Amino acid sequence: MIFLTRKAEFSSSHFYWNDDWSAEENQRIFGKCANRNGHGHNYTLEVTVSREIDPISGFVVDWKE
Ligand SMILES: [Zn+2]
């Protein structure tokens, strides 16, 4: 069994807010994520695929798929 891992790093901005709550409640629940100008987080995503080597192609994964 072969394991292949692809790692991607990216940044994303967001804004959390519930109009049914007061500004104080939004701040208490969402903290810095309730900033109207948005703010960002950095993410790392890793995806691992495990398969046997295809005896015909020799591929573990056909990346075109
Ligand atoms: Zn946030």
Side-chain angles (χ1 to χ4, degrees):
M1 184 71 67
I2 303 292
F3 293 82
L4 293 175
T5 299
R6 179 79 184 255
K7 178 179 175 181
E9 296 178 347
F10 62 97
S11 299
S12 180
S13 176
H14 65 203
F15 167 57
Y16 291 167
W17 192 265
N18 184 330
D19 287 334
D20 293 334
W21 299 344
S22 68
E24 293 75 20
E25 187 70 355
N26 275 285
Q27 187 65 42
R28 188 180 71 78
I29 298 295
F30 297 130
K32 62 184 178 182
C33 300
N35 182 341
R36 287 199 180 274
N37 295 320
H39 84 116
H41 295 274
N42 298 320
Y43 299 90
T44 300
L45 172 67
E46 292 186 8
V47 176
T48 300
V49 175
S50 63
R51 287 193 183 156
E52 298 294 339
I53 295 173
D54 184 296
I56 297 172
S57 69
F59 292 166
V60 173
V61 173
D62 183 347
W63 294 110
K64 293 188 303 287
E65 293 178 6

